[in-house]
Amino acid sequence: MEYAILFLPLLGSLIGYLGKSLAKYFSEIITSLFVSISAVLSILVFWRGIQNNIYGNYKIFEWISSGNFIANWSINIDPLSSVMLVVVTFVSALVHVYSIGYMSHDPHKPRFMSYLSLFTFSMLSLVVSDNFLQLFFGWEGVGLCSYLLIGFWYKKETANNAAIKAFIVNRIGDFGLAIAIFLIFFFYGTINFEEVFQATSTLIEKKLVFFGVETSLITLICVFLFIGAMGKSAQFLLHTWLPDAMEGPTPVSALIHAATMVTAGVFLVVRCSPIFEYSQFALNLVAIVGMVTAIFAASVALVQNDIKKIVAYSTCSQLGYMFFAAGIGAYHVAMFHLFTHAFFKALLFLGAGSVIHAFKDEQDIRNMGGIGKKLPYTYAFMLIGTLALTGFPFLSGFYSKDAIIEFAYLANTPLGNYAASVGILTAFFTSIYSWRLFFKVFHGPYNNKKILINETHESPIIMLLPLVFLSIGAIFSGYIFKNIFIGHLSIDFWQASIFFLNKISHSSIPFWFLLTTPVIVLISIPISFYLYILNPKILDDFKLTNMPLYNFLLNKWYIDELYEKIFVNPAKKNWIIFLEKRRYWNNR
């Protein structure tokens, strides 16, 4: 069963691509069927682990053996990987099915479906690895597949540029991860997770001189591991690729940028918790970067107008939540939010795709409005996703996001208090931009001048069916799994897959603090409706009188422009000089 989970998506990718000429829907059916079977088996493995504590390491073959360097290709099933298996395969299966309808008019849909399945295989290889080399294989595999999928419409220049940007920015993070792996092998003599984690406590006192500064080996390894995580999970300064990656087809956005690839960084930090727990500096760095990312992305999302980019910045912000949870040592809470977030964020992305489909590829929310009655099912699904994202009481986001803020408060440290404050402020921003998107798309006057409102239509059943399953997850996953992931059953569930040197006790939370975030979420709904629908002139006047602030947010804190000036333009200039010199010497 474990072998089928891993290799069915790879088999589906190969058969789907090579057999594209056999029948009209052959590729779509084969890839969707194989990934769906993998999803069902993943759920069985997850449930079997909860009920009967059945886990194991399944060796496929010895991959590399050179001296004392041994790396196996294995399928390591433990509580942490079983959670990731469910997230990856379940969302991937629904995205495959959704793509049958969304990509129905694309002449290259067999190639698209093949890429989706190959991406799923790469992500699965990453999460079931038992050593850093196999993890790096899956890590690079998802990077390659994201490049192929973001640039799928390769005749579109913006898509090509976005794919290249994603590839290059991720290479920066990957370089950090590679250095961390080199350091681990050099000083530990192994890259096997279990052996590395067991040996870490014996190397606490080990020091290195790095660029003339003496530092702890453990800290250095953790910092480089986190650099890798920053790139893959689009954290502040290495985040610039994520919004541009929305140039790919919407199913790509849902799969890669909402539920799977971007969570690889969070998974890496949690998987390496036995190392991170011995470096307070590294944990503080993770928490600080997570806090900055959460507030940065949420503030930028307030003024964006592209429906997919708003959801993309929301993803970036929610990943910030997960990282500062890990930074304060609440790894299990970070994983809980990762789990629930996969459902409601994939729901929002696919719901946005349904809206884009109705508007014939229009993505600017200023050119929408008033289509709630024309798209009743999409309206309902987007409402559920928005409620879950904002942390509306008793939906999935309420349990997981509020838990992060509560654990930050309970850490009872200056950094924990800052994290809790940032979490509450970010929750308010999240509510505002989420309801802004929802109200401007479905309420108010109809603003599209190119398409008559009667020409908009609901998506076909093949696109709506995946939204049904995601809605169920967005509503119930938090309530059903909170005790298993973060409650009184969590120690028995996570076992040794997550290491806690100092576990935060989830108790004695003041009642006023428990009410803070839900109250903010609730009052933001009428505020948003008033400002964006009933009396938008207030915000228009505010924008005119605060144009520098508005432009600062609209231009994403000018990070892209800064990189353009510091890195891109000098590199282009040096390249031109090099070409001119080479041409000069060739002509002599």
Side-chain angles (χ1 to χ4, degrees), residues 305-484:
N305 296 308
D306 185 302
I307 186 171
K308 285 170 64 176
K309 286 191 176 182
I310 295 171
V311 185
Y313 276 110
S314 173
T315 297
C316 195
S317 180
Q318 296 303 305
L319 287 165
Y321 269 106
M322 298 175 209
F323 274 110
F324 78 65
I328 61 172
Y331 305 101
H332 56 322
V333 187
M335 288 303 301
F336 184 37
H337 193 50
L338 185 156
F339 184 78
T340 60
H341 176 264
F343 293 106
F344 59 73
K345 191 50 65 66
L347 175 62
L348 284 170
F349 264 117
L350 296 186
S354 184
V355 172
I356 294 167
H357 184 265
F359 278 98
K360 300 178 181 178
D361 298 329
E362 175 62 67
Q363 294 184 196
D364 194 324
I365 61 172
R366 293 171 297 184
N367 298 326
M368 299 178 185
I371 59 165
K373 293 181 179 179
K374 292 291 293 182
L375 280 69
Y377 299 114
T378 300
Y379 178 93
F381 294 136
M382 288 290 283
L383 177 61
I384 292 170
T386 302
L387 289 170
L389 170 62
T390 56
F392 192 84
F394 310 116
L395 272 73
S396 59
F398 167 75
Y399 293 102
S400 60
K401 189 162 68 175
D402 279 25
I404 291 176
I405 298 171
E406 290 163 14
F407 271 80
Y409 176 81
L410 289 169
N412 198 28
T413 63
L415 191 63
N417 293 334
Y418 280 125
S421 302
V422 168
I424 292 170
L425 180 60
T426 304
F428 176 68
F429 284 173
T430 301
S431 293
I432 295 297
Y433 71 66
S434 297
W435 290 113
R436 170 180 178 258
L437 184 154
F438 183 80
F439 291 140
K440 287 183 78 69
V441 170
F442 295 105
H443 292 269
Y446 183 77
N447 297 313
N448 197 298
K449 297 178 181 179
K450 296 180 180 179
I451 305 168
L452 296 175
I453 191 169
N454 291 331
E455 294 178 19
T456 60
H457 56 84
E458 188 60 272
S459 297
I461 187 66
I462 194 72
M463 290 173 62
L464 294 176
L465 188 61
L467 302 184
V468 174
F469 288 100
L470 290 171
S471 295
I472 294 170
I475 296 171
F476 298 110
S477 61
Y479 175 77
I480 293 173
F481 293 103
K482 62 181 172 61
N483 284 331
I484 296 172

Side-chain angles (χ1 to χ4, degrees), residues 210-231:
F210 185 73
F211 284 109
V213 179
E214 187 178 69
T215 185
S216 163
L217 170 66
I218 303 299
T219 295
L220 200 59
I221 289 172
C222 289
V223 168
F224 280 116
L225 284 172
F226 181 56
I227 290 172
M230 284 176 65

Side-chain angles (χ1 to χ4, degrees), residues 12-31:
S13 176
L14 294 173
I15 295 175
Y17 186 78
L18 297 175
K20 57 186 176 182
S21 59
L22 294 179
K24 186 176 181 181
Y25 290 105
F26 179 80
S27 297
E28 293 93 317
I29 292 172
I30 286 294
T31 53

Side-chain angles (χ1 to χ4, degrees), residues 80 188 193-194 196-201 204 218 222 268-279 331 496-501:
L80 183 58
Y188 286 78
F193 287 151
E194 186 175 353
V196 169
F197 298 157
Q198 287 178 352
T200 297
S201 60
I204 298 173
I218 303 299
C222 289
L268 176 65
V269 172
V270 175
R271 172 61 81 195
C272 295
S273 56
I275 307 177
F276 276 89
E277 280 291 280
Y278 289 103
S279 175
Y331 305 101
S497 65
I498 295 178
F499 180 71
F500 299 99
L501 198 60

